[in-house]
Amino acid sequence: MGSRPYRRLAWGAAALLVAGIAVPAAAAASEHSGQSDVSSHGPKKAKNVILLIGDGMGDSEITLARDYTVGAAGRLNMDKFPMTGSYTTYSVDKDGKPDYVTDSAASGTGWATGHKTVNGRISKTPGTDKPMTTILELAQRNGLATGSVTTAELTDATPAVLASHATDRSCAGPADMKACPNDTIAKGGPGSIAEQSVNHKVDVLLGGGKARFDQKITEGPYRGMTVTQQAQKLGYQVVTDNKGLTTARSGKPVLGLFADGNVPVEWTGKAAAVGGTAAQRCVTANPDRKAGTPALEDQARKALDLLDTPKAKKNGFFLQIEGASIDKRDHAADPCGQIGETAAFDRAVKVARDYAAKHPDTLVVTTADHGHTSQIVPLEATPPGLSSTLVTNEGRQLKVNYSTNTPGQAQEHTGTQVRIAAQGPQSQRVLGVTDQTELFTTIRTALSLR
């Protein structure tokens, strides 16, 4: 694309940083030769890739969910991958210099394109604002089926980085284009994230954000239609609940819109508070979650079923699955909502691993886009911010603290490295300490995408 000359010049500093951390990863692969042999006995090339993203799911968030649901000595599904490493998540400024705490748009752009960008930008360069080719676009060019599943709005940053290019992540629907004047159809741009997503003819799009897709298009060939109507015109089956999802058939693309905004979380409980809360058990239900809303594991299972097409049988598929509200409830200092969403994501991990057990030519990767705020602290600790005491499934008390911002403000991402784990062809590439951008190369190499 037109950004190539810029990349050669402006990625200098970031490229050196990435190159600097690539060596430990290679060293780790040779040092852990016993582990590397796990994947060497299977296929060298992947036919399929399932990428699972726990948004904001740092090691603290994983540990909290593990302690609460299966106990300190227990193991989640995501703990059972044969290959486990860490990757760095920083974004950059417009000059390519490190910005140590990323947002989900810049971090998603990292693995989607193999290049870093500024916070808030969707698969476009940091300085010149040019589109960068995504892993989903490469997969489509190579004849693979593609899918994206999320518990957020389908126009949210993590799903958006695969099938759209936007100056700012806020440009979700036709009525939301204020921050992206050059991306409008009137200016010769590709339009909003919602419009681009359906124009890309992704085979499976499942998540929330119905209100964005119900916005009217004001420019271009679909003017006067809603984005949902545009999708139907392009051949999409549009479904809005579990019953509709169950009846959807492969062979035509599917757009699932299961909430006006983000899909409501599965668990509820008291939010963390200044001075802490009384010891609480989480409520494994949410009155705001409509009957017929499919769980993430059900969406994942159906997505795999829908991707079972002649095209995928011949060429394979790329599927991304996001547990989005781990991050959103972490921002809200809501430990029960956060744990419930991590548990739901972990069940989707099991769906992916079960599929790979029957299809060993499938690379499965699970990771996060960035770290977040929650910390497990001693019961006697008196944190200055927000905290809550939980009673775990082991019958023990656990205190979780949220102190990355002033009480009353949203809690913040952190700049820590996060876990990446994998199984299947090329899974040894995640060993050691790598960078987020190297995940793009791992997937591209595994699928032999040109």
Side-chain angles (χ1 to χ4, degrees), residues 9-95:
L9 295 170
W11 287 108
L16 286 173
L17 287 168
V18 173
I21 59 173
V23 175
S30 59
E31 288 165 12
H32 295 80
S33 56
Q35 281 189 314
S36 298
D37 286 344
V38 174
S39 79
S40 67
H41 294 310
K44 298 285 194 237
K45 179 184 183 298
K47 186 173 184 181
N48 315 305
V49 169
I50 305 172
L51 173 60
L52 298 117
I53 303 293
D55 199 310
M57 191 184 71
D59 280 345
S60 289
E61 286 70 29
I62 294 171
T63 306
L64 180 59
R66 183 194 301 120
D67 286 351
Y68 188 92
T69 60
V70 297
R75 292 294 178 264
L76 299 167
N77 294 300
M78 70 181 84
D79 294 327
K80 299 173 183 176
F81 284 89
M83 305 291 173
T84 301
S86 299
Y87 70 22
T88 51
T89 65
Y90 65 94
S91 55
V92 294
D93 67 13
K94 64 182 177 61
D95 298 315

Side-chain angles (χ1 to χ4, degrees), residues 367-418:
T367 189
D369 51 353
H370 53 72
H372 222 305
T373 191
S374 61
Q375 291 287 330
I376 301 166
V377 298
L379 291 172
E380 63 271 18
T382 55
L386 308 169
S387 62
S388 177
T389 300
L390 306 173
V391 179
T392 72
N393 287 358
E394 295 182 291
R396 303 287 293 169
Q397 290 193 1
L398 177 155
K399 181 177 279 190
V400 58
N401 169 49
Y402 298 84
S403 293
T404 54
N405 211 343
T406 308
Q409 303 295 314
Q411 298 301 304
E412 296 285 1
H413 300 172
T414 63
T416 185
Q417 64 190 33
V418 296

